[in-house]
Amino acid sequence: MKMTLAALTTAAALIAGPALADLTLPHLSYRTGPYAANGTQYADGFNDYFTLLNERDGGIGGAKILTPECETAYNTEKGVECYEATKSEAALIYNPMSTGITYQLIPKASADGKVLYTPGYGRTSAKNGKVFEWVFNAPANYWDGASVAVKYLLDQNGGDLKGKKIALLYHNSAYGKEPIRTLQELSKKHGFTLSELPVDAPGQEQKSQWLQIRRDKPDYVIMYGWGVMNPAAIQEAANIKFPMENFIGIWWSGGEVDVQAAGAAANGYKSLTFNGVGTDYPFYADLTKFVVDPGKASQGGKFVGSAVYSRGVYAALIIGEAIRKAQELAGTPDINAAQLRDGFEALDITEARMAELGLPGFGQPIKLSCANHGGAGMARLQQWDATAGKWNLITDFIQPDEEVLEPLIAADSEAYAKEAGITPRACD
Amino acid sequence: MFYREAGDFKTSYREDSQTFPLALDRWAYRLLMAVAVLVVPFVIDGYWANAILVPFLIYAIAAIGLNILVGYAGQLSLGTGGFMAVGAYAVYKLSVAFPGINIVFHIIAAGGITALVGMLFGLPSLRIKGFYLAVATLAAQFFLVWLFNKVPWFYNYSASGQINAPDRSVLGWMVTGPLATPAAKYLICLAFAFVVAWIARNLTRGMTGRKWMAIRDMDIAAEIIGVNPLTAKLTAFGVSSFFIGIAGALFFAVYLGAAEVGEAFGINKSFLILFMVIIGGLGSIFGSFAGAAFMVLLPVALKNLLVGGFGWPTDLAAHIELMIVGGLIVIFLIAEPHGLAQLWRLTKEKLRLWPFPH
């Protein structure tokens, strides 16, 4: 048994082993389990962007990009197995798309010198690059999301939320618990009452939480859900006739699969997003020509343009730009993980650059530095139009409340530094 | 033929009742131990340690723990995941509170705390048994997970509710945290697995074990012949939880390094370990290892074969893998309801007589 396993792994390593000068980005995806509906779309977007670069430009700076997939099923043990299996010399960066796996990988990747890129998820305080040297979470993090949601509600209520009731419906895991501290601070600052309603993983079972919402009648519900939890929550909200326009999800609760199950009842549901949606960007002409039409798209390209797919594309785009920057700084296309980290820290994606990439206005400008690994953290709101079956962007990018977030991030990252025995780097 | 008993004379009770009565078995066992200690640590890499051997050894410890309760004492339990969580949170709180004390003592203390919790939840076993007890321990599973999720003191008020293992070393070698070498992680798990298996083997063939088995086989008869059901059942719960607590502590501190109670110690973990015990063989220490190997190694081997070897899409491979593992479990249990241990025992019996069956 063990012998055959050894033989098999060696054989696998020989077959999958990258040729020299290829850029290896191990892709920890999940296409099975309770989070598959969303995870599979994200993975498709991530793959297709790099397929496009390979097909159209021959990779980045002449180096082909490989994204060998490994199935994690959103499970931390499998995540660890995938990390160990793919952690070769050539592996540059990990984007595990799971907050739980990110927490496992932060110490490991930092010790191994691999970049960990967690756009819109993972450990929020990783924004502090002085402590988290190898972790990046631009363009926005969970606390930014909570702050933007509250800012939007302030905007809706003439700048005053006093006496309002906001309920947080969250996935009872590291992911869902992340925004609680921020929302508590914000409730102190703005005078609203916050009620916290945990939903146990995976999240189909939330009858009692909605019963409580029905009884308490909160003015707004903010949701941090993922996978099967999202459609279940939106269906329950429709069942108790909760006004959909007062129901705001984080960006991970804003995919098509989440709202479609509730049909017309989901009309008006809002969610945050840090990227554009739909296929009305010049980029998609190239994608169709080089990837979808020749049949090279993941799963035949059936999710192209969906909201979660777009987030996968956006994550890949930022990694791609960081690689480009790193190649520029290193003067060679064949970069290593440390050079990629430098590329991330020098990353500067302007609006003009986004237009050049065929995605004008798709995302906010991102400028990172040694100290700031999280960018500006802006997000915007989108609303579901059930009749047209599409998401519409309803606000411009909203800046989160740094006054509240900065001390929280400083405190949390300092606590981590103390726990892990890290001396923060000197940089600004 | 393969097993030779000729010339293997036993002249004392001690020799007669040893774990490996055949000289050949004894030598095979010693050779295995020698390879495990003297060869494996020098050739092991990160993948073999973190993805295969460390989880295998930890699950084997948990399976031995559950096997004592279910296999030897006949008390059905579905609370294994919850008890592992107790071990994990105990080692976390202890190692953060007393950083000067060696982690080995913390792991043992975590086992002790779990033993107390296990005995507490074992109290209903004095009144109820079988499915009713399974439901009572299921309540323990859900209660413990809920408790560790709900009370921030257990996770030191961290924002996300995750616990992270601090870096700790044994004899100058890092065993937890990212700087731990694969060999160090493997050796500490091996040491614990060895000691646990040794203790379990000796307990189960001594008076304590016979009391457990008497209770398992027929509790009223056992009571009549003088077995105290209170002490027998509670010691079974205590010893079982002690081992499961050690497994939970190692699982969190050495293997994962960070854990989230609902995800790492959910009801699925209880089922997984119960399956290991059933597949491996109830009431067998070897069976606990065999069951853990089956449930940990087979999915990894299949994944490496289907994705790495054949290049199948990862989702298809994951589904096929579930089907194959599930199918094999069914086939195994039809072919040999007493598990891998019984299969191994029968093979040995046959080989002792081969080529002259009777």
mmCIF file of all heavy atoms in Angstrom, chain A residues 5 9 31-32 69-70 75-77 81 84-85 103-104 107 111 172-174 177-178 181, chain B residues 46-47 50-51 59 149 157 159-160 162 178 251 256 258 260 263 269 301 303-304 314-315 319:
data_model
loop_
_atom_site.group_PDB
_atom_site.id
_atom_site.type_symbol
_atom_site.label_atom_id
_atom_site.label_comp_id
_atom_site.label_asym_id
_atom_site.label_seq_id
_atom_site.Cartn_x
_atom_site.Cartn_y
_atom_site.Cartn_z
ATOM 1 N N LEU A 5 1.736 3.802 -3.055
ATOM 2 C CA LEU A 5 1.447 5.224 -2.897
ATOM 3 C C LEU A 5 2.684 6.042 -3.241
ATOM 4 O O LEU A 5 2.608 7.041 -3.955
ATOM 5 C CB LEU A 5 1.000 5.490 -1.458
ATOM 6 C CG LEU A 5 0.468 6.875 -1.207
ATOM 7 C CD1 LEU A 5 -0.780 7.106 -2.028
ATOM 8 C CD2 LEU A 5 0.145 7.036 0.269
ATOM 9 N N THR A 9 2.883 8.774 -6.159
ATOM 10 C CA THR A 9 3.184 10.197 -5.970
ATOM 11 C C THR A 9 4.379 10.598 -6.807
ATOM 12 O O THR A 9 4.406 11.675 -7.371
ATOM 13 C CB THR A 9 3.433 10.534 -4.489
ATOM 14 O OG1 THR A 9 4.078 9.437 -3.886
ATOM 15 C CG2 THR A 9 2.153 10.820 -3.753
ATOM 16 N N ARG A 31 -14.735 22.078 -5.898
ATOM 17 C CA ARG A 31 -15.856 21.873 -6.807
ATOM 18 C C ARG A 31 -16.803 20.821 -6.253
ATOM 19 O O ARG A 31 -17.679 20.345 -6.949
ATOM 20 C CB ARG A 31 -15.325 21.456 -8.186
ATOM 21 C CG ARG A 31 -14.434 22.519 -8.821
ATOM 22 C CD ARG A 31 -13.756 21.986 -10.074
ATOM 23 N NE ARG A 31 -12.858 22.963 -10.677
ATOM 24 C CZ ARG A 31 -13.248 23.921 -11.503
ATOM 25 N NH1 ARG A 31 -14.516 24.050 -11.823
ATOM 26 N NH2 ARG A 31 -12.373 24.765 -12.002
ATOM 27 N N THR A 32 -16.582 20.415 -5.017
ATOM 28 C CA THR A 32 -17.498 19.479 -4.363
ATOM 29 C C THR A 32 -17.837 20.036 -2.985
ATOM 30 O O THR A 32 -17.195 20.961 -2.502
ATOM 31 C CB THR A 32 -16.854 18.098 -4.178
ATOM 32 O OG1 THR A 32 -15.721 18.235 -3.322
ATOM 33 C CG2 THR A 32 -16.424 17.479 -5.475
ATOM 34 N N GLU A 69 -4.734 22.256 -10.322
ATOM 35 C CA GLU A 69 -5.799 22.331 -9.323
ATOM 36 C C GLU A 69 -5.669 21.231 -8.289
ATOM 37 O O GLU A 69 -5.209 20.141 -8.585
ATOM 38 C CB GLU A 69 -7.164 22.204 -10.015
ATOM 39 C CG GLU A 69 -7.746 23.546 -10.377
ATOM 40 C CD GLU A 69 -9.211 23.444 -10.772
ATOM 41 O OE1 GLU A 69 -10.029 23.055 -9.935
ATOM 42 O OE2 GLU A 69 -9.530 23.772 -11.932
ATOM 43 N N CYS A 70 -6.109 21.531 -7.096
ATOM 44 C CA CYS A 70 -6.194 20.522 -6.047
ATOM 45 C C CYS A 70 -7.494 20.746 -5.293
ATOM 46 O O CYS A 70 -7.788 21.863 -4.865
ATOM 47 C CB CYS A 70 -4.998 20.618 -5.109
ATOM 48 S SG CYS A 70 -4.928 19.287 -3.913
ATOM 49 N N ASN A 75 -12.303 22.113 3.050
ATOM 50 C CA ASN A 75 -11.990 21.387 4.269
ATOM 51 C C ASN A 75 -10.532 21.645 4.619
ATOM 52 O O ASN A 75 -9.657 21.524 3.773
ATOM 53 C CB ASN A 75 -12.248 19.892 3.979
ATOM 54 C CG ASN A 75 -11.839 19.006 5.108
ATOM 55 O OD1 ASN A 75 -10.681 18.991 5.509
ATOM 56 N ND2 ASN A 75 -12.773 18.257 5.629
ATOM 57 N N THR A 76 -10.281 22.019 5.894
ATOM 58 C CA THR A 76 -8.923 22.435 6.233
ATOM 59 C C THR A 76 -7.922 21.297 6.136
ATOM 60 O O THR A 76 -6.787 21.504 5.727
ATOM 61 C CB THR A 76 -8.859 23.028 7.644
ATOM 62 O OG1 THR A 76 -9.572 22.190 8.527
ATOM 63 C CG2 THR A 76 -9.471 24.401 7.694
ATOM 64 N N GLU A 77 -8.344 20.082 6.496
ATOM 65 C CA GLU A 77 -7.390 18.967 6.418
ATOM 66 C C GLU A 77 -6.969 18.719 4.980
ATOM 67 O O GLU A 77 -5.792 18.501 4.692
ATOM 68 C CB GLU A 77 -8.012 17.693 6.978
ATOM 69 C CG GLU A 77 -7.986 17.640 8.480
ATOM 70 C CD GLU A 77 -8.835 16.511 9.000
ATOM 71 O OE1 GLU A 77 -8.468 15.359 8.761
ATOM 72 O OE2 GLU A 77 -9.887 16.789 9.615
ATOM 73 N N GLU A 81 -3.324 19.092 3.031
ATOM 74 C CA GLU A 81 -2.798 18.040 2.146
ATOM 75 C C GLU A 81 -2.450 18.643 0.784
ATOM 76 O O GLU A 81 -1.377 18.378 0.236
ATOM 77 C CB GLU A 81 -3.851 16.931 1.998
ATOM 78 C CG GLU A 81 -3.293 15.605 1.558
ATOM 79 C CD GLU A 81 -3.581 15.327 0.100
ATOM 80 O OE1 GLU A 81 -4.665 15.682 -0.409
ATOM 81 O OE2 GLU A 81 -2.704 14.761 -0.543
ATOM 82 N N GLU A 84 0.707 20.810 0.994
ATOM 83 C CA GLU A 84 1.937 20.016 1.047
ATOM 84 C C GLU A 84 2.235 19.356 -0.292
ATOM 85 O O GLU A 84 3.383 19.232 -0.681
ATOM 86 C CB GLU A 84 1.838 18.950 2.146
ATOM 87 C CG GLU A 84 1.784 19.506 3.557
ATOM 88 C CD GLU A 84 3.077 20.164 4.001
ATOM 89 O OE1 GLU A 84 4.110 19.934 3.352
ATOM 90 O OE2 GLU A 84 3.045 20.927 4.990
ATOM 91 N N ALA A 85 1.153 18.941 -0.974
ATOM 92 C CA ALA A 85 1.355 18.233 -2.238
ATOM 93 C C ALA A 85 1.858 19.171 -3.328
ATOM 94 O O ALA A 85 2.576 18.742 -4.228
ATOM 95 C CB ALA A 85 0.047 17.579 -2.686
ATOM 96 N N TYR A 103 -6.158 30.536 7.514
ATOM 97 C CA TYR A 103 -5.603 30.564 8.868
ATOM 98 C C TYR A 103 -4.577 29.458 9.059
ATOM 99 O O TYR A 103 -3.579 29.643 9.747
ATOM 100 C CB TYR A 103 -6.722 30.446 9.907
ATOM 101 C CG TYR A 103 -7.259 31.789 10.344
ATOM 102 C CD1 TYR A 103 -8.189 32.466 9.594
ATOM 103 C CD2 TYR A 103 -6.805 32.374 11.512
ATOM 104 C CE1 TYR A 103 -8.674 33.703 9.986
ATOM 105 C CE2 TYR A 103 -7.274 33.606 11.925
ATOM 106 C CZ TYR A 103 -8.212 34.271 11.157
ATOM 107 O OH TYR A 103 -8.667 35.475 11.553
ATOM 108 N N GLN A 104 -4.816 28.279 8.460
ATOM 109 C CA GLN A 104 -3.831 27.197 8.558
ATOM 110 C C GLN A 104 -2.555 27.574 7.832
ATOM 111 O O GLN A 104 -1.461 27.230 8.260
ATOM 112 C CB GLN A 104 -4.335 25.911 7.885
ATOM 113 C CG GLN A 104 -5.691 25.440 8.289
ATOM 114 C CD GLN A 104 -5.676 24.803 9.629
ATOM 115 O OE1 GLN A 104 -4.664 24.255 10.024
ATOM 116 N NE2 GLN A 104 -6.764 24.902 10.343
ATOM 117 N N PRO A 107 0.866 30.752 8.919
ATOM 118 C CA PRO A 107 2.198 30.456 9.475
ATOM 119 C C PRO A 107 3.044 29.586 8.567
ATOM 120 O O PRO A 107 4.252 29.808 8.430
ATOM 121 C CB PRO A 107 1.899 29.734 10.790
ATOM 122 C CG PRO A 107 0.449 29.539 10.878
ATOM 123 C CD PRO A 107 -0.224 30.224 9.759
ATOM 124 N N ALA A 111 6.591 30.680 6.815
ATOM 125 C CA ALA A 111 7.839 29.978 7.098
ATOM 126 C C ALA A 111 8.471 29.449 5.812
ATOM 127 O O ALA A 111 9.689 29.426 5.677
ATOM 128 C CB ALA A 111 7.595 28.831 8.069
ATOM 129 N N ASN A 172 -21.274 30.433 11.159
ATOM 130 C CA ASN A 172 -20.628 30.286 12.466
ATOM 131 C C ASN A 172 -19.250 29.647 12.315
ATOM 132 O O ASN A 172 -19.025 28.497 12.663
ATOM 133 C CB ASN A 172 -21.520 29.455 13.386
ATOM 134 C CG ASN A 172 -21.181 29.678 14.840
ATOM 135 O OD1 ASN A 172 -20.261 30.422 15.155
ATOM 136 N ND2 ASN A 172 -21.915 29.041 15.718
ATOM 137 N N SER A 173 -18.322 30.411 11.767
ATOM 138 C CA SER A 173 -16.959 29.933 11.544
ATOM 139 C C SER A 173 -16.075 31.163 11.598
ATOM 140 O O SER A 173 -16.557 32.275 11.815
ATOM 141 C CB SER A 173 -16.858 29.274 10.169
ATOM 142 O OG SER A 173 -17.067 30.230 9.166
ATOM 143 N N ALA A 174 -14.788 30.963 11.390
ATOM 144 C CA ALA A 174 -13.864 32.098 11.422
ATOM 145 C C ALA A 174 -14.327 33.176 10.455
ATOM 146 O O ALA A 174 -14.295 34.367 10.760
ATOM 147 C CB ALA A 174 -12.469 31.621 11.051
ATOM 148 N N LYS A 177 -17.405 35.100 11.801
ATOM 149 C CA LYS A 177 -17.183 35.834 13.048
ATOM 150 C C LYS A 177 -16.311 37.064 12.839
ATOM 151 O O LYS A 177 -16.285 37.943 13.690
ATOM 152 C CB LYS A 177 -16.492 34.920 14.063
ATOM 153 C CG LYS A 177 -17.422 33.933 14.712
ATOM 154 C CD LYS A 177 -16.642 33.097 15.695
ATOM 155 C CE LYS A 177 -17.454 31.914 16.160
ATOM 156 N NZ LYS A 177 -16.603 30.868 16.691
ATOM 157 N N GLU A 178 -15.554 37.090 11.749
ATOM 158 C CA GLU A 178 -14.608 38.182 11.500
ATOM 159 C C GLU A 178 -15.250 39.573 11.689
ATOM 160 O O GLU A 178 -14.672 40.394 12.369
ATOM 161 C CB GLU A 178 -14.110 38.077 10.091
ATOM 162 C CG GLU A 178 -12.757 37.665 9.677
ATOM 163 C CD GLU A 178 -11.464 37.796 10.371
ATOM 164 O OE1 GLU A 178 -10.933 38.899 10.314
ATOM 165 O OE2 GLU A 178 -10.926 36.829 10.885
ATOM 166 N N ARG A 181 -16.477 42.171 15.571
ATOM 167 C CA ARG A 181 -15.803 43.192 16.358
ATOM 168 C C ARG A 181 -15.983 44.579 15.726
ATOM 169 O O ARG A 181 -16.245 45.563 16.411
ATOM 170 C CB ARG A 181 -14.322 42.843 16.456
ATOM 171 C CG ARG A 181 -13.621 43.609 17.532
ATOM 172 C CD ARG A 181 -12.275 43.016 17.825
ATOM 173 N NE ARG A 181 -12.348 41.797 18.586
ATOM 174 C CZ ARG A 181 -11.274 41.100 18.965
ATOM 175 N NH1 ARG A 181 -10.076 41.514 18.630
ATOM 176 N NH2 ARG A 181 -11.406 40.003 19.658
ATOM 177 N N GLY B 46 7.915 16.753 3.904
ATOM 178 C CA GLY B 46 6.743 17.471 4.422
ATOM 179 C C GLY B 46 5.442 16.834 3.996
ATOM 180 O O GLY B 46 4.497 16.731 4.779
ATOM 181 N N TYR B 47 5.382 16.353 2.759
ATOM 182 C CA TYR B 47 4.133 15.766 2.286
ATOM 183 C C TYR B 47 3.831 14.477 3.031
ATOM 184 O O TYR B 47 2.728 14.260 3.501
ATOM 185 C CB TYR B 47 4.202 15.512 0.780
ATOM 186 C CG TYR B 47 2.911 14.951 0.244
ATOM 187 C CD1 TYR B 47 1.794 15.760 0.128
ATOM 188 C CD2 TYR B 47 2.804 13.613 -0.129
ATOM 189 C CE1 TYR B 47 0.601 15.260 -0.339
ATOM 190 C CE2 TYR B 47 1.614 13.111 -0.598
ATOM 191 C CZ TYR B 47 0.520 13.937 -0.707
ATOM 192 O OH TYR B 47 -0.664 13.436 -1.160
ATOM 193 N N ASN B 50 2.982 15.565 6.845
ATOM 194 C CA ASN B 50 1.779 16.344 7.138
ATOM 195 C C ASN B 50 0.530 15.822 6.456
ATOM 196 O O ASN B 50 -0.575 16.115 6.897
ATOM 197 C CB ASN B 50 1.994 17.800 6.729
ATOM 198 C CG ASN B 50 3.041 18.448 7.580
ATOM 199 O OD1 ASN B 50 3.171 18.131 8.745
ATOM 200 N ND2 ASN B 50 3.810 19.339 6.984
ATOM 201 N N ALA B 51 0.681 15.109 5.365
ATOM 202 C CA ALA B 51 -0.516 14.664 4.664
ATOM 203 C C ALA B 51 -0.821 13.193 4.913
ATOM 204 O O ALA B 51 -1.943 12.759 4.686
ATOM 205 C CB ALA B 51 -0.363 14.928 3.164
ATOM 206 N N TYR B 59 -5.116 9.735 14.044
ATOM 207 C CA TYR B 59 -6.404 9.048 13.937
ATOM 208 C C TYR B 59 -6.339 7.665 14.579
ATOM 209 O O TYR B 59 -7.329 7.185 15.128
ATOM 210 C CB TYR B 59 -6.846 8.937 12.477
ATOM 211 C CG TYR B 59 -7.523 10.186 11.973
ATOM 212 C CD1 TYR B 59 -7.015 10.907 10.906
ATOM 213 C CD2 TYR B 59 -8.685 10.656 12.575
ATOM 214 C CE1 TYR B 59 -7.630 12.051 10.454
ATOM 215 C CE2 TYR B 59 -9.308 11.803 12.132
ATOM 216 C CZ TYR B 59 -8.783 12.501 11.063
ATOM 217 O OH TYR B 59 -9.405 13.636 10.633
ATOM 218 N N ASN B 149 -17.662 27.319 20.597
ATOM 219 C CA ASN B 149 -18.001 28.379 19.661
ATOM 220 C C ASN B 149 -18.539 29.588 20.391
ATOM 221 O O ASN B 149 -18.358 30.727 19.981
ATOM 222 C CB ASN B 149 -19.083 27.872 18.702
ATOM 223 C CG ASN B 149 -18.665 28.014 17.271
ATOM 224 O OD1 ASN B 149 -17.905 28.907 16.950
ATOM 225 N ND2 ASN B 149 -19.157 27.142 16.422
ATOM 226 N N TYR B 157 -10.560 35.120 23.131
ATOM 227 C CA TYR B 157 -11.201 36.320 22.570
ATOM 228 C C TYR B 157 -10.645 36.723 21.217
ATOM 229 O O TYR B 157 -10.604 37.904 20.891
ATOM 230 C CB TYR B 157 -11.077 37.487 23.560
ATOM 231 C CG TYR B 157 -11.606 37.141 24.939
ATOM 232 C CD1 TYR B 157 -10.764 36.652 25.931
ATOM 233 C CD2 TYR B 157 -12.959 37.273 25.221
ATOM 234 C CE1 TYR B 157 -11.250 36.299 27.182
ATOM 235 C CE2 TYR B 157 -13.455 36.934 26.474
ATOM 236 C CZ TYR B 157 -12.590 36.445 27.454
ATOM 237 O OH TYR B 157 -13.084 36.107 28.677
ATOM 238 N N ALA B 159 -10.561 37.406 17.228
ATOM 239 C CA ALA B 159 -11.633 37.991 16.423
ATOM 240 C C ALA B 159 -12.408 36.928 15.654
ATOM 241 O O ALA B 159 -13.614 37.038 15.457
ATOM 242 C CB ALA B 159 -11.041 39.005 15.456
ATOM 243 N N SER B 160 -11.707 35.888 15.217
ATOM 244 C CA SER B 160 -12.349 34.950 14.317
ATOM 245 C C SER B 160 -12.797 33.681 15.029
ATOM 246 O O SER B 160 -13.432 32.837 14.424
ATOM 247 C CB SER B 160 -11.360 34.568 13.229
ATOM 248 O OG SER B 160 -10.203 34.080 13.840
ATOM 249 N N GLN B 162 -10.834 31.407 15.943
ATOM 250 C CA GLN B 162 -9.869 30.348 15.650
ATOM 251 C C GLN B 162 -8.872 30.229 16.796
ATOM 252 O O GLN B 162 -8.572 31.216 17.454
ATOM 253 C CB GLN B 162 -9.066 30.738 14.406
ATOM 254 C CG GLN B 162 -9.817 30.586 13.132
ATOM 255 C CD GLN B 162 -9.345 29.397 12.353
ATOM 256 O OE1 GLN B 162 -8.429 28.714 12.759
ATOM 257 N NE2 GLN B 162 -9.971 29.122 11.238
ATOM 258 N N PRO B 178 5.028 26.422 12.421
ATOM 259 C CA PRO B 178 5.540 26.204 11.061
ATOM 260 C C PRO B 178 6.990 25.780 11.017
ATOM 261 O O PRO B 178 7.456 25.259 10.010
ATOM 262 C CB PRO B 178 5.355 27.575 10.400
ATOM 263 C CG PRO B 178 5.328 28.544 11.531
ATOM 264 C CD PRO B 178 4.706 27.833 12.686
ATOM 265 N N PHE B 251 -3.854 16.539 17.186
ATOM 266 C CA PHE B 251 -4.515 16.919 15.929
ATOM 267 C C PHE B 251 -4.445 18.429 15.738
ATOM 268 O O PHE B 251 -4.117 18.919 14.654
ATOM 269 C CB PHE B 251 -5.975 16.475 16.004
ATOM 270 C CG PHE B 251 -6.735 16.617 14.732
ATOM 271 C CD1 PHE B 251 -6.586 15.694 13.720
ATOM 272 C CD2 PHE B 251 -7.624 17.660 14.552
ATOM 273 C CE1 PHE B 251 -7.303 15.812 12.546
ATOM 274 C CE2 PHE B 251 -8.341 17.780 13.380
ATOM 275 C CZ PHE B 251 -8.176 16.857 12.376
ATOM 276 N N LEU B 256 -2.625 20.293 12.563
ATOM 277 C CA LEU B 256 -3.221 21.428 11.860
ATOM 278 C C LEU B 256 -2.553 22.756 12.209
ATOM 279 O O LEU B 256 -2.355 23.592 11.340
ATOM 280 C CB LEU B 256 -4.716 21.517 12.177
ATOM 281 C CG LEU B 256 -5.596 20.446 11.537
ATOM 282 C CD1 LEU B 256 -7.040 20.679 11.931
ATOM 283 C CD2 LEU B 256 -5.469 20.475 10.017
ATOM 284 N N ALA B 258 -3.833 25.231 13.540
ATOM 285 C CA ALA B 258 -4.914 26.186 13.800
ATOM 286 C C ALA B 258 -6.199 25.407 13.633
ATOM 287 O O ALA B 258 -6.252 24.492 12.829
ATOM 288 C CB ALA B 258 -4.877 27.344 12.817
ATOM 289 N N GLU B 260 -10.721 25.389 13.969
ATOM 290 C CA GLU B 260 -11.995 26.049 14.139
ATOM 291 C C GLU B 260 -12.918 24.925 14.570
ATOM 292 O O GLU B 260 -12.994 23.904 13.897
ATOM 293 C CB GLU B 260 -12.394 26.571 12.765
ATOM 294 C CG GLU B 260 -13.492 27.544 12.741
ATOM 295 C CD GLU B 260 -13.746 27.881 11.296
ATOM 296 O OE1 GLU B 260 -12.885 28.525 10.666
ATOM 297 O OE2 GLU B 260 -14.785 27.473 10.788
ATOM 298 N N GLU B 263 -15.544 23.137 12.262
ATOM 299 C CA GLU B 263 -15.025 22.539 11.045
ATOM 300 C C GLU B 263 -14.139 21.336 11.375
ATOM 301 O O GLU B 263 -14.245 20.290 10.755
ATOM 302 C CB GLU B 263 -14.220 23.600 10.310
ATOM 303 C CG GLU B 263 -14.274 23.496 8.804
ATOM 304 C CD GLU B 263 -13.126 22.731 8.254
ATOM 305 O OE1 GLU B 263 -12.057 22.809 8.853
ATOM 306 O OE2 GLU B 263 -13.305 22.052 7.238
ATOM 307 N N LYS B 269 -16.353 14.203 12.227
ATOM 308 C CA LYS B 269 -15.181 13.579 12.822
ATOM 309 C C LYS B 269 -15.600 12.369 13.665
ATOM 310 O O LYS B 269 -14.961 11.335 13.638
ATOM 311 C CB LYS B 269 -14.450 14.614 13.665
ATOM 312 C CG LYS B 269 -13.075 14.254 13.975
ATOM 313 C CD LYS B 269 -12.053 15.088 13.239
ATOM 314 C CE LYS B 269 -12.157 15.003 11.734
ATOM 315 N NZ LYS B 269 -11.365 16.018 11.077
ATOM 316 N N ALA B 301 -4.446 8.120 -1.564
ATOM 317 C CA ALA B 301 -3.901 7.291 -2.647
ATOM 318 C C ALA B 301 -4.769 7.407 -3.894
ATOM 319 O O ALA B 301 -4.264 7.557 -5.009
ATOM 320 C CB ALA B 301 -3.820 5.837 -2.189
ATOM 321 N N LYS B 303 -6.743 9.871 -4.703
ATOM 322 C CA LYS B 303 -6.602 11.202 -5.277
ATOM 323 C C LYS B 303 -5.336 11.290 -6.107
ATOM 324 O O LYS B 303 -5.338 11.796 -7.223
ATOM 325 C CB LYS B 303 -6.569 12.244 -4.164
ATOM 326 C CG LYS B 303 -6.743 13.643 -4.688
ATOM 327 C CD LYS B 303 -6.390 14.677 -3.669
ATOM 328 C CE LYS B 303 -4.965 15.099 -3.860
ATOM 329 N NZ LYS B 303 -4.653 16.359 -3.195
ATOM 330 N N ASN B 304 -4.241 10.758 -5.557
ATOM 331 C CA ASN B 304 -2.979 10.818 -6.288
ATOM 332 C C ASN B 304 -3.050 10.003 -7.573
ATOM 333 O O ASN B 304 -2.475 10.383 -8.581
ATOM 334 C CB ASN B 304 -1.833 10.312 -5.417
ATOM 335 C CG ASN B 304 -1.413 11.357 -4.412
ATOM 336 O OD1 ASN B 304 -1.439 12.543 -4.707
ATOM 337 N ND2 ASN B 304 -1.074 10.928 -3.222
ATOM 338 N N THR B 314 -10.464 17.562 -11.060
ATOM 339 C CA THR B 314 -10.446 17.351 -9.614
ATOM 340 C C THR B 314 -11.825 17.035 -9.045
ATOM 341 O O THR B 314 -11.938 16.261 -8.104
ATOM 342 C CB THR B 314 -9.902 18.589 -8.904
ATOM 343 O OG1 THR B 314 -10.612 19.733 -9.389
ATOM 344 C CG2 THR B 314 -8.430 18.753 -9.135
ATOM 345 N N ASP B 315 -12.870 17.650 -9.612
ATOM 346 C CA ASP B 315 -14.203 17.413 -9.035
ATOM 347 C C ASP B 315 -14.677 16.002 -9.344
ATOM 348 O O ASP B 315 -15.225 15.312 -8.491
ATOM 349 C CB ASP B 315 -15.209 18.465 -9.511
ATOM 350 C CG ASP B 315 -15.233 18.601 -11.020
ATOM 351 O OD1 ASP B 315 -14.255 18.178 -11.659
ATOM 352 O OD2 ASP B 315 -16.204 19.127 -11.557
ATOM 353 N N HIS B 319 -15.524 13.017 -6.593
ATOM 354 C CA HIS B 319 -16.772 12.259 -6.512
ATOM 355 C C HIS B 319 -16.520 10.757 -6.634
ATOM 356 O O HIS B 319 -17.064 9.958 -5.886
ATOM 357 C CB HIS B 319 -17.741 12.729 -7.599
ATOM 358 C CG HIS B 319 -18.304 14.100 -7.323
ATOM 359 N ND1 HIS B 319 -18.378 15.074 -8.288
ATOM 360 C CD2 HIS B 319 -18.799 14.630 -6.198
ATOM 361 C CE1 HIS B 319 -18.892 16.165 -7.740
ATOM 362 N NE2 HIS B 319 -19.161 15.917 -6.486
#
